[in-house]
Amino acid sequence: MDTNPPPVEELRRVDAELARLDARRAELLARRAWLLGVLYAPPARPAAPPFPGAVTPAETSPRGAQNVLLTLGGTLLAIAALAFTLVSWGSMGIAGRSAVLLAVTSAALAAPAVLLRRGLASTAEAVGALGLVLTVLDAYALHRVALPGTDGLGYAAVASAVLAGLWAGYGGLLRRLRLPFPAAVAAAQLPLPLGVLAAGGGPAAVAWAAVLTAAADVLLLGRPVRAEARIAAGASAGVLAAWALPVGTWLSLTSPWTGAPLLLGCAALCLYAARAVRPAASALAVVAGLAAVAAVGGPPRAALPPEWTVPVYAVCGLALASLWRPVRAGWIPGAVRAGFGLAGGGVAAVGVLWALPPVLAGVLGPADRSAGLWSGRHAAPVLADHPATAVLVLLLGAVAAATAGGVWGRWGAVALGWALLTALPVALELSYAAGLAVRLVATAAALGLAVRPGAAARGLPEPEPEPAPGSVPERPEGAWGASWTAGAAVPAAPPAPGALLGWTGLAAGLASAGSALLLALDVRAATFVVLGVLLALFTAAAVLGAGAVRETAAGAAVLAAAGLAGAGAAAAGLSAAAAGLVLLLVPAGTAALAVRVRSVAAEPTGVAVGALGVALTVPRPAVLALALALGGVVAAATALRPERRRPASWTAGALFLAAAWVRLAVWGVSVPEAYTLPVTVPALVVGLLRRRRDPEASSWAAYGPGLAVTLVPGLAAVWSDPDWVRPLLLGAGALAVTLLGARFRLQAPLVLGGTALVLVGAHELAPYVVQLVGALPRWLPPAAAGLLLLAVGATYERRLCEARMLRERLARMR
């Protein structure tokens, strides 16, 4: 006899045992890791000193404190010397003060040599700085004593040159001091600009002096000098160039042939500095590029009419941005090329922004409906300044973007090409028909670009299978290979030009379609032609496109069909209510197409059009009832689809009910039961079916809503109805509901029916109770209330038990 279990049962047992062993092993490994951490954990450091007075870490190092003290001391001494020279000791005269300053200066300049030999470098630095300040005061005293009649600017230029040489020599003698060389570089910035000012030079001459001085600073950057001197030279060159560039720009606007050489000199200086300062090469190339564009564009701008100002600079910017091509041959460094591209692209972008008003006029101009619909009159075109040159700028930008290539180049070509087509009717002042044709062509071209990625996606090869676990994929070659980094196993994600172009084409197509439709509303025939063309275009885009492009095009096609239906109703002279019935053809069509063609956007758009159609029929209730009934038919047909059954069935029921109510209101029916019973009967049938399918369902969920719909309005009507028929019928119905609830042990019918029965009975007995109370003596009601309270108090506990038993019985019901 074979006692082995079946293979399936044995396999299940083996799997269960392995799972148990794995869980136990994981638990033991976690415990082992915790024990190792406890045994080999380093001792925790105390967060506070172990005893009062313990030493805490110092917030400031001794060297830092020393430097602060020396800096403050040197600063105070320099202030004292300045006050001494200019204010104090007036009785000595300027000559005496100069002699004292000369002696103190000599001592201050000589002291660092002694201090350095003794190893007091910081003190020597502070005293040396004091000595440099004192030399400036000596120069001032010399001018006041020996050369009082000399021109101040000329003397300052010579004095700054002499001081720069002296400080450089002093730094050469005491090389361990760090301050003299940068001080000498700073002083060397003044001689040439101050000398030009002293000689009466204008802004251009002073700017050239600043450029030449900055050029000397840039030359110093490439020399093997100390870091402090290079930093001072770079900062000084930046300050001088930042002053010379605005002057050159202003001169290029007022006197182009004077400002152009200055700007070109600044550009050359920035490019040379880019070689010495590699980290800032791109930023310097941007400045150089902007200066070159302003320099080259200045003379032709001055020679041409004012409307050519922006196109001239845009052409110069595009020419600068096109220098990316020589990079492949190694002519221009990559960082400089990036700066040129950013500068030229920025100038071209500003030109494109200047050219946008004709584009906006082409899109939004037809929105002026002051002439009325189908009036045959057209709104006056909104003309922008210089539309012809604006179109030229857009054309140049589109060509340049297409030439540049790449993802963003293609995107720029598409966007600017669409902008060009949109601006043409305004710029060339085309006729009405030609303007419509151009807008429709722009719509078709944009939608063609939008659906192109989706059409191409259908021809893509099947994706490669994923590598086996633990395997390493091969390293890709070509352009993507450079994106690999150490330790990376997956290449960088490729760009997605299709999505970008698709969204751009879709947005452009929608904008052009809206503009064409607004313009077509001036003429009846044009409206039908444009709506038909748009319906065909968006239908084709929905068929050929994919993803969001497909769904958006499908929704737009539904709107175009709705527009055709509405235009047809208006052309036929139908009223607004009749036009609403015509619009119901659109949701019916989308529901019929949805059986074979699934679209997320088409059906909701059709529903929205149907809601608009129903809203148009509101002023005529009889037509509104028909519209609601037709909507219910469409929803009921949609409910035949399994995925739409639940929401569509509820919608159909609500529409049919609303149609019935509106029809009753049209017939003048004011009996509330006529409105409530059509809801109650189907609701009770649905509840009965639900209870058969799910016996555990609560009676409140199954029958409560249906019963409440009739009982609550009936009670409200009973209390305001002086007749006896409604109370009798409602009481009989409530009694039947109560008895059924008691018979089948259902809580909702029992409670609702019993409550309604009690309230109806109270309503019927209320007049007699009022009469009886009026006939009784006034002391009798208080006495009866007192006796009732005594009786309740005497049997309080018994009454509580009875109430608890009643509550439990109700709770046991469904």
Side-chain angles (χ1 to χ4, degrees):
M1 181 177 180
D2 188 6
T3 59
N4 292 328
V8 175
E9 179 65 21
E10 186 176 0
L11 179 61
R12 187 187 64 79
R13 294 178 181 177
V14 169
D15 290 340
E17 186 66 21
L18 289 175
R20 187 184 65 79
L21 291 176
D22 290 339
R24 181 58 178 168
R25 184 174 185 276
E27 180 183 354
L28 293 175
L29 287 175
R31 181 65 178 175
R32 180 178 182 274
W34 182 82
L35 292 173
L36 289 175
V38 171
L39 291 175
Y40 299 104
R45 296 182 178 178
F51 51 90
V55 179
T56 58
E59 296 182 359
T60 305
S61 63
R63 179 63 64 104
Q66 172 189 338
N67 292 336
V68 171
L69 294 176
L70 292 175
T71 302
L72 291 175
T75 303
L76 293 176
L77 288 175
I79 294 173
L82 184 62
F84 166 74
T85 306
L86 301 178
V87 181
S88 302
W89 286 24
S91 58
M92 292 183 61
I94 190 64
R97 281 179 279 172
S98 299
V100 172
L101 275 177
L102 181 60
V104 175
T105 302
S106 301
L109 293 176
V114 179
L115 294 173
L116 289 174
R117 284 196 296 270
R118 299 195 175 201
L120 302 175
S122 299
T123 306
E125 198 74 52
V127 177
L130 176 62
L132 298 182
V133 174
L134 291 175
T135 55
V136 178
L137 297 178
D138 288 335
Y140 169 76
L142 179 62
H143 178 262
R144 291 289 303 274
V145 173
L147 304 169
T150 307
D151 178 57
L153 287 176
Y155 179 80
V158 174
S160 58
V162 172
L163 287 176
L166 290 176
W167 290 349
Y170 182 69
L173 292 176
L174 301 176
R175 293 187 173 274
R176 294 178 59 186
L177 294 180
R178 292 177 295 179
L179 188 59
F181 279 117
V185 171
Q189 311 304 311
L190 301 176
L192 197 54
L194 291 179
V196 172
L197 281 176
V206 177
W208 272 111
V211 170
L212 293 176
T213 305
D217 294 329
V218 173
L219 290 175
L220 186 62
L221 291 177
R223 305 288 296 176
V225 295
R226 299 184 61 168
E228 295 86 356
R230 287 199 301 273
I231 293 174
S236 301
V239 171
L240 293 175
W243 182 80
L245 282 170
V247 174
T249 304
W250 174 72
L251 289 174
S252 71
L253 297 176
T254 57
S255 179
W257 292 104
T258 302
L262 179 60
L263 288 174
L264 289 176
C266 292
L269 178 64
C270 291
L271 290 178
Y272 186 83
R275 297 180 56 187
V277 187
R278 296 295 178 84
S282 295
L284 292 171
V286 170
V287 177
L290 293 175
V293 168
V296 176
R301 175 200 57 79
L304 293 173
E307 59 266 22
W308 289 92
T309 298
V310 175
V312 165
Y313 286 114
V315 169
C316 295
L318 292 174
L320 180 67
S322 66
L323 292 179
W324 67 273
R325 290 184 177 276
V327 132
R328 297 182 179 179
W331 296 353
I332 304 176
V336 175
R337 185 266 305 176
F340 281 173
L342 185 59
V347 173
V350 172
V352 169
L353 291 177
W354 173 83
L356 284 183
V359 180
L360 297 177
V363 174
L364 302 178
D368 183 10
R369 297 261 56 88
S370 58
L373 298 177
W374 295 350
S375 62
R377 298 192 303 271
H378 313 304
V382 182
L383 296 178
D385 295 335
H386 318 306
T389 51
V391 169
L392 177 61
V393 170
L394 293 174
L395 177 61
L396 292 174
V399 172
T403 306
V407 176
W408 292 107
R410 293 165 60 185
W411 175 84
V414 170
L416 293 177
W418 171 82
L420 177 63
L421 285 177
T422 306
L424 278 179
V426 177
L428 303 181
E429 299 184 14
L430 298 178
S431 63
Y432 179 76
L436 273 179
V438 170
R439 287 173 171 85
L440 291 177
V441 169
T443 304
L447 291 179
L449 288 172
V451 303
R452 186 177 178 184
R458 295 187 179 92
L460 291 178
E462 292 294 330
E464 296 182 1
E466 296 183 359
S471 63
V472 179
E474 296 181 1
R475 180 166 179 165
E477 300 295 336
W480 288 14
S483 65
W484 281 63
T485 56
V490 180
L500 182 62
L501 295 179
W503 281 107
T504 304
L506 180 61
L510 292 175
S512 295
S515 178
L517 180 58
L518 289 173
L519 186 61
L521 294 177
D522 293 342
V523 179
R524 177 182 299 180
T527 301
F528 285 97
V529 171
V530 169
L531 283 173
V533 172
L534 293 180
L535 176 59
L537 290 177
F538 283 116
T539 302
V543 173
L544 300 176
V549 173
R550 174 180 179 271
E551 297 300 332
T552 306
V558 173
L559 291 178
L564 277 175
L574 300 179
S575 62
L581 293 178
V582 173
L583 287 180
L584 291 179
L585 295 174
V586 176
T590 56
L593 287 175
V595 177
R596 294 184 175 274
V597 180
R598 302 299 171 87
S599 174
V600 178
E603 284 188 272
T605 308
V607 171
V609 173
L612 176 61
V614 172
L616 291 175
T617 62
V618 170
R620 297 183 59 182
V623 183
L624 174 60
L626 178 59
L628 291 171
L630 292 176
V633 172
V634 174
T638 305
L640 296 176
R641 295 161 51 193
E643 72 276 8
R644 294 285 191 268
R645 180 162 300 161
R646 186 177 183 84
S649 60
W650 281 100
T651 304
L655 290 174
F656 283 133
L657 181 62
W661 284 356
V662 173
R663 176 52 60 186
L664 290 173
V666 171
W667 288 340
V669 176
S670 59
V671 179
E673 287 77 12
Y675 296 89
T676 58
L677 287 178
V679 181
T680 297
V681 174
L684 292 178
V685 171
V686 171
L688 179 61
L689 295 177
R690 181 180 178 183
R691 288 273 299 175
R692 286 184 177 180
R693 187 171 59 252
D694 183 13
E696 298 297 325
S698 172
S699 63
W700 287 101
Y703 306 117
L707 293 174
V709 167
T710 293
L711 292 177
V712 174
L715 286 172
V718 161
W719 283 90
S720 60
D721 190 358
D723 202 357
W724 59 272
V725 177
R726 177 176 282 111
L728 178 61
L729 295 177
L730 182 61
L735 178 60
V737 170
T738 305
L739 294 177
L740 289 174
R743 169 65 179 80
F744 294 102
R745 301 173 57 84
L746 298 175
Q747 189 180 97
L750 181 62
V751 173
L752 292 176
T755 303
L757 185 61
V758 170
L759 291 176
V760 171
H763 172 267
E764 293 302 310
L765 292 176
Y768 303 103
V769 172
V770 171
Q771 294 178 4
L772 180 62
V773 172
L776 291 175
R778 293 179 177 268
W779 55 267
L780 188 58
L787 291 174
L788 177 63
L789 292 176
L790 288 176
V792 171
T795 59
Y796 181 72
E797 184 177 2
R798 181 61 180 171
R799 301 287 87 78
L800 286 180
C801 293
E802 293 176 354
R804 190 179 301 110
M805 292 174 62
L806 178 61
R807 185 183 62 187
E808 292 175 354
R809 290 173 184 173
L810 287 175
R812 285 195 296 269
M813 296 181 179
R814 287 291 179 185

